[in-house]
Amino acid sequence: MIIIKVLCIDIGGTFIKYGIFSISGDTYEPIKKVKTEVSINDNHILKQVTSICKKVIQEHPTISGIAIASAGVVNPDSGVIEYAGYTIPKYQGTQFKKIIENELNIPCTILNDVNAALLGEYWKYHQDDNKNNLVCLTLGTGIGAAIMINGKLYQGHSYTAGEIGYLPIDGHYFQDIASASFLTENATIALRRDINGEEFFKLLISGNPAIRKIYDKFIKNLAQGLLIIQYLLNPDLIILGGGILAQDKLIIPDVVAEMSNISVHNHFIQSEIIPAKLGNEAGLLGALYYFKTENNL
């Protein structure tokens, strides 16, 4: 029996995570992460990733491929970053697939990180439950989404399907008014000291009125974006991910109640909303699943 090992890499604006996986999704060693080398005007991500690949392959010469998930708009066919926002300057045009395959003589796949997260959740939890129409949102610094229709990832004509963070709502981008950053940034202003996500929810649960006002606005904003998804796609499931979904038992019932208040009729909001289950490994496992299907493994 041939044992296939794949180096999986998840590139974010803050950290690059990586690990060696079997083709079935088992890890051979703990996941590692390094700080993403990004400055105000430039980035060194391609150099970092290439260096990681060379180091890991030298230590594990039986690795059969490299599977990458990355922030930004990714063309998975060419392996090029088609667009990246201000958080990763000069990232647009980065040619991961071509450079890695040419330098290391090893197959490489790459796709958007939220698309990867959706594939990971689908592979491990929904592939066999007859729920093949899914939308996955990650709520972090911004908001990203991924769409699956009839068991197939839908990326759009120019690979921008799911870029819901730029959806205009009440004169703002959706990601500016319904992300985790919206909560912490507004709490920091209101309380005049730095507030992180964990402390935000402690203050909310303790009954702080300023925090409650921010949270209620967040729920209203999030409900508006999710309602658009329900009207447009009517998926089986909407999967919500990101660190703040540690508070899923609070957030999900509240946003469902708000959607019920603002929808034209409850018949339009029958998609089940659930928290993501894979946590920090979602992007890595989704990148692996994409590599696996692209190479018919």
Side-chain angles (χ1 to χ4, degrees):
M1 178 180 177
I2 299 173
I3 298 174
I4 297 175
K5 295 180 180 179
V6 180
L7 171 59
C8 299
I9 302 171
D10 187 354
I11 304 167
T14 306
F15 291 104
I16 298 173
K17 294 174 289 189
Y18 63 97
I20 302 170
F21 288 78
S22 71
I23 204 64
S24 61
D26 299 315
T27 55
Y28 285 96
E29 54 188 36
I31 303 302
K32 297 176 182 176
K33 69 178 182 178
V34 295
K35 186 80 172 170
T36 309
E37 292 184 10
V38 176
S39 65
I40 296 174
N41 300 313
D42 207 349
N43 78 84
H44 303 284
I45 295 173
L46 179 58
K47 182 179 178 181
Q48 271 189 287
V49 170
T50 305
S51 177
I52 289 168
C53 292
K54 289 178 178 178
K55 179 176 181 293
V56 174
I57 290 171
Q58 187 176 26
E59 295 171 352
H60 304 271
T62 58
I63 284 175
S64 304
I66 295 167
I68 301 173
S70 175
V73 176
V74 179
N75 181 331
D77 299 322
S78 65
V80 174
I81 305 297
E82 298 284 358
Y83 174 81
Y86 62 89
T87 55
I88 309 181
K90 296 186 179 178
Y91 198 41
Q92 184 172 334
T94 302
Q95 299 189 38
F96 282 101
K97 181 178 175 67
K98 177 181 177 180
I99 290 173
I100 287 174
E101 289 187 341
N102 286 348
E103 287 195 18
L104 302 178
N105 193 29
I106 191 169
C108 173
T109 58
I110 180 170
L111 77 165
N112 168 267
D113 54 355
V114 187
N115 287 338
L118 171 57
L119 287 180
E121 294 284 337
Y122 173 72
W123 181 28
K124 292 301 180 182
Y125 293 105
H126 304 293
Q127 194 171 23
D128 300 319
D129 67 4
N130 202 34
K131 293 181 178 178
N132 297 316
N133 298 296
L134 314 175
V135 175
C136 177
L137 276 77
T138 57
L139 311 179
T141 304
I143 296 178
I147 302 164
M148 176 173 281
I149 299 174
N150 295 329
K152 301 292 184 182
L153 191 64
Y154 179 75
Q155 300 183 76
H157 168 67
S158 56
Y159 311 103
T160 60
E163 293 292 335
I164 195 172
Y166 300 115
L167 188 72
I169 294 179
D170 293 338
H172 303 275
Y173 287 142
F174 182 43
Q175 65 185 7
D176 291 337
I177 59 172
S179 61
S181 296
F182 173 83
L183 297 176
T184 55
E185 288 172 5
N186 280 278
T188 295
I189 293 169
L191 301 184
R192 298 181 181 179
R193 61 184 178 87
D194 287 339
I195 302 292
N196 61 29
E198 185 177 351
E199 186 176 7
F200 180 94
F201 283 99
K202 286 181 180 178
L203 290 166
L204 177 67
I205 292 166
S206 71
N208 184 289
I211 295 298
R212 167 54 67 175
K213 186 176 180 180
I214 295 165
Y215 174 77
D216 288 346
K217 182 61 177 172
F218 161 80
I219 290 295
K220 289 180 184 295
N221 297 336
L222 181 58
Q224 287 185 67
L226 294 181
L227 186 59
I228 291 169
I229 292 171
Q230 298 252 25
Y231 285 155
L232 183 64
L233 294 173
N234 186 31
D236 300 317
L237 296 175
I238 296 176
I239 303 168
L240 299 182
I244 64 170
L245 266 296
Q247 301 292 334
D248 63 282
K249 289 179 173 57
L250 181 66
I251 293 171
I252 290 178
D254 286 348
V255 80
V256 169
E258 179 60 21
M259 288 170 63
S260 181
N261 289 337
I262 64 175
S263 67
V264 65
H265 191 278
N266 280 349
H267 182 75
F268 290 88
I269 55 170
Q270 296 192 29
S271 302
E272 184 181 1
I273 300 177
I274 64 171
K277 297 178 181 178
L278 288 176
N280 287 332
E281 288 192 8
L284 295 168
L285 285 166
L288 173 63
Y289 181 73
Y290 184 74
F291 179 90
K292 177 180 176 178
T293 54
E294 286 295 293
N295 290 280
N296 298 312
L297 298 173

